[in-house]
Amino acid sequence: MNDDTTLPGERPAHWVAIALLGLALLGLGTQHYASPLYTPDSWSVYEMSKSAWSDPGRINTFRQFEFISDYSASFPPLWPMAIAAFNDVFGFGWRGGFVLNLLITFASAAVLSRVSHNLFQTRALGWMAGLLLVIDQGYRAEILAGRSIPLAGLFLFALFATLTDRHPHRWRTPILAGLFAGLATLTRFDALFAGVVASGATALCFPTSSLRERLKASGVHLAVYAVWLLPYIVYSAAHFGRLWVTDNARTALSVPQTFVTDFYVTPPPTLFSDFGGWLERYVEAATAVLLGAGGSLLVLLVPLLGLT
């Protein structure tokens, strides 16, 4: 089946999903301008964007307690730089992150349509998945607050589209996979694990039966990935004396959930001192995400019944 093949009934669902996505994004725009939902993270990233070209990472708002520094250990550099570049051209100011997230969400749906075409020979499912993102409460909050998850998601979706390409290239595939994994990690620290796991996926997707060639492809991915991580490694070493610094580590390890703005005289228990409590917290969080996604999926499918 060639790339232009469509399944019966795809086109109505395809265009309906695109139209619904556009209306949903328009609705978010109205909601944001009526009542902005910015958080401390939103304002911190915007502040960093104002010095993104002259002094990357500089932040004057004291909002992190693990490190005492005029430079941020809370956010990788790419999202503040993206906001800075967007504002240099369009001048949206503090609303720049939100407006950019609207465009990124539409681009993510387009990339997901490519993924669904790679896997199922239909683009409609990808556009529906893009609408599902907007319906999901957590993702919608990220858009409205002008935070970084939508951009990281775009790069991860592009990584997945690369790995599911029905016509993989011997070296283009691992190079692009390393590129997108690196960009995702420079947007959010928690994409680091996905970037490493993608090296194994690259080997599995490599178009050869030779184990040696698959390992080479995985090595190319990791090499490209490492090159893209170098900017933050240099930044981290220059300002904190460590090769990879992030105050999000305490958030991930702590029981109960903590945030970088929390201050504790006595550190809270962690994964290593209270594994049961840590595991319980993560199971509860994962269950909430799955239930939320399930509810969002039902809401999405109702208007599309009969179109596919």
Side-chain angles (χ1 to χ4, degrees), residues 217-253:
S218 180
V220 170
H221 165 86
L222 288 174
V224 174
Y225 185 41
V227 168
W228 279 95
L229 298 186
L230 278 178
Y232 190 76
I233 292 174
V234 172
Y235 167 87
S236 180
H239 295 298
F240 297 94
R242 302 185 188 182
L243 292 181
W244 192 268
V245 65
T246 166
D247 60 5
N248 289 329
R250 186 186 71 179
T251 299
L253 298 177

Side-chain angles (χ1 to χ4, degrees), residues 167-203:
H167 305 289
H169 188 273
R170 286 178 60 86
W171 300 114
R172 182 184 64 204
T173 296
I175 289 173
L176 287 178
L179 165 66
F180 291 131
L183 292 174
T185 306
L186 286 179
T187 304
R188 287 192 61 88
F189 292 121
D190 39 16
L192 181 64
F193 180 71
V196 174
V197 170
S199 66
T202 300

